[in-house]
Amino acid sequence: MHPAFSVVFFTTATGAGYGLLALLGVLGGLQIVPADFWLGLVGLGLALGLIAAGLLSSTGHLGRPERGWRAFSQWRSSWLSREGVASVITFIPAGLFGLGWVFFGRTEGWVAIAGLLAAIGAIVTVCTTGMIYASLKPIAQWHSRYTLPAYLIFAAMTGSVLLNALLQGFGIGSTGVLVLSLLATLAGWGWKLATWRHNDRLEIPTTANTATGLAGGTVRSLEWPHTEENYLLKEMGFRIARKHSAKLRMLAQALAFALPVLLIAATFALPWPYAAVPSVLAAIVQFAGMLVERWLFFAEAKHTVTLYYGR
Amino acid sequence: MTCLPAHSDKKLGLVIDLDTCVGCQACVTACKEWNTGGHMAPLTDIDPYGGHVDGVWFNRVHSYEHTTEMGGRTVNFPRSCLHCETPACVTVCPTGASYKRVSDGIVLIDEDKCIGCKLCSWACPYGAREFDTDVGVMKKCTLCVDRIYNDNLAEEDRVPACVAACPTSARHFGDLGDPQSAVSQLVAERGGVDLMPELGYHPTNKYLPPRAHTQRAASVPAKALEPVRAEGGFLGWVDRMLSN
C-alpha cells in the first residue's frame, strides 16, 4: 500500500496525542499526578495539538476536503466515520478537563469526571482507527488480530513516554510513570516483533488462481491491460519498501524502541534537571521511529489487487 | 446510506466467458466511450498522448498464461466491478456516497457526496474502483445504469455497453437472482465461479472457466523445425549460398 505521508503522520500523531490525553485524564483525574499549571497547559496543549494536527493532516489526502463534514454521517457501518465522530466527541470532555485544570487549577470533582471521560473517548478513538485497518479483508497484513492491539499499545507507549518527558521536564518526575513508559516501550517492541514474525509466515489463501477463477496449475500474468502504472498500481502496488524492509525494520526498532529504552533507563540514574534531557530525547526519537514503523505498516502491506498484475 | 440492503429484488450482473474472450479490448473501449458521457462522466484521461498516460477505466482486460498438467493456454480476463452482495466498499464509505440499490443490486457512487478518501478502493479486493485525480472523487462501473433502463434506446440495446460491443458473445447480462434467467442457466450449465470466494464478498458477476482441453484434437504430423548447425566444406558453402 502506498504510504501517503499525511496518513502516516496522522496515525502516529493522533496515537501519541490520544495516549497522552488518556494518561493525563486518568492520572490527573485520580490525583496521581499533581494539578500543576504548567503540566496541564503544556501537557494538554501538546496532546490536543498532536490530535488536531493529525486530524488536519488526514484531510490532506482527500480529493474533496471541503465535503469532509459528510464523513460524520455513516457511523452505523463505517469505522472511518466512527473515528471522525469519536474524535470530535472526545474534544468535549477533553476541553472541559483542560479548562478545569488550567484555568481553575483543580483536577477533582467534575474536572476528574471530564478527565476520565476524555480518557474513554481517547481509547475509543484509537480503537476506531485500528479497526479501519483491521477490517480490510483484501490486505492480509492488516486484517489480523495484531492490528487493533498494536494501535492501542503504541498509543499507550508514545503517550507514556511523552508524559514522562513532561513530568521530568517540570521537575515533578514520577517513578511510576517512568516505569510505565519503560514497560510500555518494551511491550511495543515485543508486539511489533511478533507482528512481523506473523506477517512473514503468513499463508494467504487468496492467490492468482482464486483471483481469476482459474483452478489448478499456475496463473502467470502475460500482459497488463495498460502500459503505464494506473491508480491501482500507484495506490496499492507500492513496492519500494519491500526492497529495503530489513534495513527499515532495524531503523524503526532502533529509534522507536531500543534508544528510548536506553534513554529511559538513563533517566533512572540521573537527578533533576539532568534527568529531563534523556526523557525528552526519548520522546523525540521514539516519535521519529514510529513514523518509520507506520511507513512500513503501509508499505509492507500487500493488497489482493496486485495479484491481477502478477506482483 | 452505507448499510447494505437485506436483499435486493433483482441481482443484475454480468457473466463473463473466459473460454470465448479473445482479448480484443472492444468491451474496454465501448465502456470508456459510453461512460465518459454517462452517469459517472467524465472518465478523465491524464496526459493521454504523453509518456505517462493515466486515466479512469471501469473495465480492464488482462491476459494470463494458465498452465496445468493438461498443458498451457492463454486466458484473456476482463476485470470490472462485480456488484457484490456484501460489498465492503459500500460499508466502509464514511459519507454515504457509496450505496447498493435495493431494486437491482447495482453498486453506485453519488459523486456529489464523495470526499475522495479512497478507503472504498482499499476495501475492494478486485480493484474495481479507480480514483479520478482531476475531479477528486472515486469512480466505478455503473453496470450502464443509464443504458439498461433507457427508453430512448431500442430494446436490444438496453444492455451494458461492454455486452453490446463483445464480438464473441463472451459477455452476458441479466438477473442472477432469478434461477430461471438465461444467465443463471448459463452459469449452472458451465460451472460459473465467483472470484476470490474465500474473502466472502459474494460477487454477483460470475466467470465461466475455459472448457476442458479436448483429447480429440488433431495431432500435428510434421516435426517441429530444428536449427541446422553450420557446417564447413562444400556442404557448408552450399548452405551459405542457398541461405542468401
Side-chain angles (χ1 to χ4, degrees), chain B residues 45-174:
Chain B
D45 283 318
I46 308 289
D47 194 17
Y49 305 105
H52 300 283
V53 183
D54 196 355
V56 181
W57 300 73
F58 294 163
N59 180 28
R60 300 199 184 249
V61 178
H62 295 253
S63 293
Y64 298 102
E65 183 183 63
H66 185 213
T67 310
T68 62
E69 63 275 13
M70 295 296 290
R73 68 168 130 209
T74 302
V75 178
N76 300 298
F77 182 89
R79 178 174 59 79
S80 60
C81 176
L82 307 173
H83 298 281
C84 300
E85 281 180 55
T86 50
C89 60
V90 170
T91 52
V92 301
C93 176
T95 68
S98 284
Y99 58 103
K100 184 171 175 67
R101 305 207 315 181
V102 180
S103 59
D104 51 18
I106 297 178
V107 176
L108 288 175
I109 302 171
D110 180 347
E111 272 190 87
D112 293 333
K113 288 183 182 163
C114 177
I115 58 172
C117 72
K118 304 177 190 142
L119 188 58
C120 56
S121 67
W122 295 6
C124 172
Y126 310 104
R129 292 175 170 237
E130 299 200 5
F131 185 66
D132 187 331
T133 50
D134 197 46
V135 185
V137 299
M138 195 59 71
K139 300 200 168 172
K140 70 174 291 301
C141 161
T142 66
L143 206 61
C144 283
V145 73
D146 41 11
R147 282 181 68 97
I148 58 178
Y149 299 113
N150 192 335
D151 293 336
N152 296 314
L153 296 179
E155 197 170 344
E156 62 269 27
D157 289 332
R158 290 179 208 160
V159 292
C162 57
V163 174
C166 183
T168 62
S169 293
R171 306 181 70 102
H172 306 267
F173 166 71

Side-chain angles (χ1 to χ4, degrees), chain A residues 165-178:
Chain A
L166 290 167
L167 292 175
Q168 297 291 341
F170 294 122
I172 43 175
S174 135
T175 314
V177 173
L178 193 57

Side-chain angles (χ1 to χ4, degrees), chain B residues 146-209:
Chain B
D146 41 11
R147 282 181 68 97
I148 58 178
Y149 299 113
N150 192 335
D151 293 336
N152 296 314
L153 296 179
E155 197 170 344
E156 62 269 27
D157 289 332
R158 290 179 208 160
V159 292
C162 57
V163 174
C166 183
T168 62
S169 293
R171 306 181 70 102
H172 306 267
F173 166 71
D175 180 9
L176 286 144
D178 172 10
Q180 300 309 315
S181 70
V183 281
S184 296
Q185 302 275 321
L186 185 61
V187 170
E189 181 193 324
R190 292 279 306 281
V193 296
D194 286 350
L195 304 184
M196 301 189 201
E198 65 280 0
L199 292 183
Y201 282 57
H202 304 108
T204 299
N205 287 12
K206 301 284 184 271
Y207 282 74
L208 307 179

Side-chain angles (χ1 to χ4, degrees), chain A residues 1 7 61-65 67-68 70-74 76-78 80-81 132-133 135-139 142 205-207 209-226 228-232 234-236 298 303-305 307-309, chain B residues 1-3 18 25 51-54 60-68 74-75 77 79 90-96 111-119 121-127 129-131 135-138 193-201 209-210:
Chain A
M1 300 296 292
V7 180
H61 84 292
L62 298 182
R64 289 298 192 109
R67 300 175 184 164
R70 290 188 179 274
F72 300 114
S73 65
Q74 303 302 311
R76 271 174 284 192
S77 77
S78 164
L80 179 55
S81 187
I132 291 173
Y133 300 100
S135 66
L136 292 173
K137 286 186 194 171
I139 304 153
W142 294 355
T206 303
T207 62
N209 292 99
T210 68
T212 56
L214 298 169
T218 57
V219 175
R220 188 172 72 86
S221 173
L222 272 186
E223 199 171 39
W224 289 0
H226 40 93
E228 305 298 314
E229 298 239 320
N230 65 345
Y231 165 73
L232 299 172
K234 287 172 189 164
E235 182 77 3
M236 285 165 274
F298 280 88
H303 194 283
T304 50
V305 74
L307 292 169
Y308 288 110
Y309 289 89
Chain B
M1 192 61 218
T2 54
C3 289
L18 298 179
Q25 313 279 332
H52 300 283
V53 183
D54 196 355
R60 300 199 184 249
V61 178
H62 295 253
S63 293
Y64 298 102
E65 183 183 63
H66 185 213
T67 310
T68 62
T74 302
V75 178
F77 182 89
R79 178 174 59 79
V90 170
T91 52
V92 301
C93 176
T95 68
E111 272 190 87
D112 293 333
K113 288 183 182 163
C114 177
I115 58 172
C117 72
K118 304 177 190 142
L119 188 58
S121 67
W122 295 6
C124 172
Y126 310 104
R129 292 175 170 237
E130 299 200 5
F131 185 66
V135 185
V137 299
M138 195 59 71
V193 296
D194 286 350
L195 304 184
M196 301 189 201
E198 65 280 0
L199 292 183
Y201 282 57

